[in-house]
Amino acid sequence: MSALNTIAEYSSDEPRQWLTLVERKKVLAVVHTITYAKRLLEVLSLLEADFRLQVVFTTPPHAFGDEVPRFLEQLGSPVLPWSEAIHMTFDLAMAAGPRGVEQVRAPLITMPHGANYLKRLPGASDAGVAGLRRRDLMPGGKPPAAVVVPHQADLEELGRQCPEALQLAHVVGDPAHDRITASLSRRTAYRRALGLADGERLVLAVSTWGPHSFFGRFEMLLPRMIGELPPGRYRMAVLVHPNVWSGHGPWQVKTWLAWCRRLGVSVVPPEADWRSVLIAADYIMGDHGSVTLYGTLTGVPILLTGSPEPEINPSSPAATLAVTAPALSPAHPLPEQLDYAAAEYRPEEYAAIAARITSEPGRFHRNMRRLMYRLMGLGQPAHEPRAIPLPEPPTLRTWSSDRGEASA
């Protein structure tokens, strides 16, 4: 019997003699996109080894959700069809996006899927900060059980955009922040695993999604990177937001980037864990997305490829980063610009920006687990939840093709 059938039967009133563990608390993870899936998996790790719980996933319709079923299948995750999940009752549900969650029958925790709340939606009918609008927090007018935010300062913006949600808000921190900071001491191990030689500098090109993202300029900037950054001294890796892969299709993105992969540039796939690669980088060339902001934790120079002011939340740390990090110039050689970014780097300035990501540094796992178990009406397991260091990444050659042909 498949995991899907097992969960469906487990949740029904029919005889369940084929199940080994019955009368478990049921937890539903609502996974719209791969980005959301990664954030939820970090949170679900807090439920490990608790035999009182059964976790199940479901995938609502979403414009960037085509690759989610395959991603979850590779994890071996039990997945319920959305049409069935919305007719069942769970003891807890979690979502990192709003679409359709008002149909879920469970105490629901909503959370951001990236760093802080960076983006505004200036062209939308209900313009505001993405993730803090009323439609994001109370779709269909239905309030969740809890709204998770990373920083105490986020409550001010929340009060402006959706004051009804203030009484539901919990400042718990940021899981990616805590995993990155817990892993910084392993930078040398990550660089060794990636196959970087002594003295070789890793330049990481980072792009969010959308018309104003770095990816929209790849056609012009990647040839510059390849032509101006000599091999042997530099290695290059490209990290593109999963929404680009989902929106255009993996085949198309691979085809667009096949030529640079043949020249040895590593293209990190959307399912890979980008955090260890970020820690290993010597330079970050990025736009206004979350990964660039997380780069402020690593202590390396950042060169901004674009900061579209209308899209950036002016009260977010991304706005401060936009006026702190040097901007990429079309008129000067890249090695000179990287050297300039390194010479002008002021650790205290970037530390102040990084501090705005979370007001609960190192305490996300503790705070989040307490909230989850309280909503389920269960006592927490008797051990301290901690952010563990990230595993070592595969070699960069896994994500590139320097043999004259594009990898599959």
Side-chain angles (χ1 to χ4, degrees):
M1 180 176 293
S2 70
L4 172 59
N5 290 334
T6 298
I7 296 300
E9 294 296 343
Y10 171 62
S11 304
S12 71
D13 295 326
E14 297 178 9
R16 297 169 294 179
Q17 66 270 20
W18 46 82
L19 291 177
T20 300
L21 300 181
V22 297
E23 304 302 333
R24 309 292 104 176
K25 293 279 189 179
K26 300 185 290 294
V27 179
L28 180 68
V30 183
V31 183
H32 300 81
T33 71
I34 288 182
T35 301
Y36 297 1
K38 290 182 173 182
R39 179 55 59 103
L40 290 171
L41 286 171
E42 185 71 42
V43 176
L44 291 171
S45 69
L46 297 171
L47 307 180
E48 287 180 355
D50 194 333
F51 281 69
R52 299 172 295 173
L53 309 175
Q54 167 73 61
V55 177
V56 61
F57 297 76
T58 191
T59 56
H62 195 281
F64 298 126
D66 290 350
E67 299 301 309
V68 172
R70 183 175 64 88
F71 179 79
L72 294 177
E73 182 181 2
Q74 291 175 341
L75 294 177
S77 307
V79 180
L80 274 175
W82 178 243
S83 59
E84 294 182 22
I86 60 177
H87 294 295
M88 294 162 51
T89 301
F90 297 87
D91 298 288
L92 181 68
M94 290 179 289
R99 197 156 303 179
V101 297
E102 72 275 9
Q103 301 177 68
V104 172
R105 301 178 181 179
L108 175 68
I109 300 176
T110 65
M111 66 194 75
H113 57 267
N116 207 260
Y117 298 95
L118 307 184
K119 294 184 180 180
R120 290 190 295 185
L121 302 170
S125 57
D126 52 348
V129 177
L132 292 177
R133 299 173 302 168
R134 190 176 192 278
R135 65 172 293 182
D136 297 328
L137 299 171
M138 298 186 178
K142 181 182 177 182
V147 175
V148 162
V149 298
H151 201 288
Q152 191 72 27
D154 299 323
L155 297 178
E156 183 177 349
E157 186 69 36
L158 178 62
R160 284 195 294 265
Q161 298 208 33
C162 187
E164 313 97 291
L166 271 178
Q167 61 182 346
L168 309 173
H170 299 262
V171 181
V172 302
D174 183 294
H177 171 285
D178 290 359
R179 289 294 300 278
I180 290 171
T181 55
S183 306
L184 291 175
S185 63
R186 301 200 65 202
R187 182 175 189 270
T188 299
Y190 297 152
R191 291 177 61 81
R192 186 185 310 114
L194 289 168
L196 294 167
D198 291 342
E200 204 168 27
R201 302 175 184 181
L202 176 61
V203 179
L204 182 62
V206 175
S207 176
T208 186
W209 66 283
H212 301 292
S213 69
F214 185 15
F215 192 77
R217 303 173 65 193
F218 268 18
E219 187 177 3
M220 295 180 292
L221 291 178
L222 284 184
R224 284 194 63 192
M225 293 176 65
I226 294 170
E228 296 182 28
L229 300 177
R233 184 181 178 192
Y234 295 96
R235 293 282 292 277
M236 285 167 283
V238 170
L239 180 60
V240 179
H241 196 287
N243 285 1
V244 177
W245 293 83
S246 296
H248 294 282
W251 178 87
Q252 182 64 78
V253 175
K254 288 180 181 179
T255 302
W256 279 331
L257 299 179
W259 64 274
C260 66
R261 295 174 71 191
R262 285 195 293 267
L263 293 173
V265 177
S266 299
V267 179
V268 182
E271 66 274 9
D273 195 327
W274 50 268
R275 296 170 295 185
S276 56
V277 184
L278 184 73
I279 293 171
D282 295 283
Y283 302 96
I284 298 167
M285 296 178 60
D287 52 22
H288 58 297
S290 290
V291 177
T292 307
L293 182 60
Y294 284 127
T296 61
L297 298 168
T298 66
V300 302
I302 295 174
L303 192 61
L304 288 181
T305 60
S307 300
E309 184 178 353
E311 289 190 6
I312 298 177
N313 174 9
S315 62
S316 74
T320 308
L321 180 62
V323 297
T324 302
L328 181 69
S329 167
H332 299 277
L334 283 179
E336 290 183 11
Q337 296 190 58
L338 295 177
D339 289 344
Y340 175 84
E344 292 296 310
Y345 182 82
R346 300 293 181 268
E348 65 279 5
E349 294 181 341
Y350 288 84
I353 297 171
R356 180 58 181 82
I357 297 174
T358 171
S359 58
E360 292 286 314
R363 294 186 289 273
F364 173 87
H365 295 77
R366 183 198 68 182
N367 295 339
M368 189 68 181
R369 193 181 75 171
R370 181 190 300 118
L371 175 62
M372 295 162 68
Y373 276 87
R374 181 172 65 79
L375 290 177
M376 287 189 289
L378 288 177
Q380 297 185 64
H383 64 85
E384 181 72 19
R386 293 186 175 91
I388 62 174
L390 296 160
E392 293 182 2
T395 174
L396 287 170
R397 294 190 184 280
T398 303
W399 301 322
S400 65
S401 174
D402 52 7
R403 300 183 302 274
E405 60 183 11
S407 301

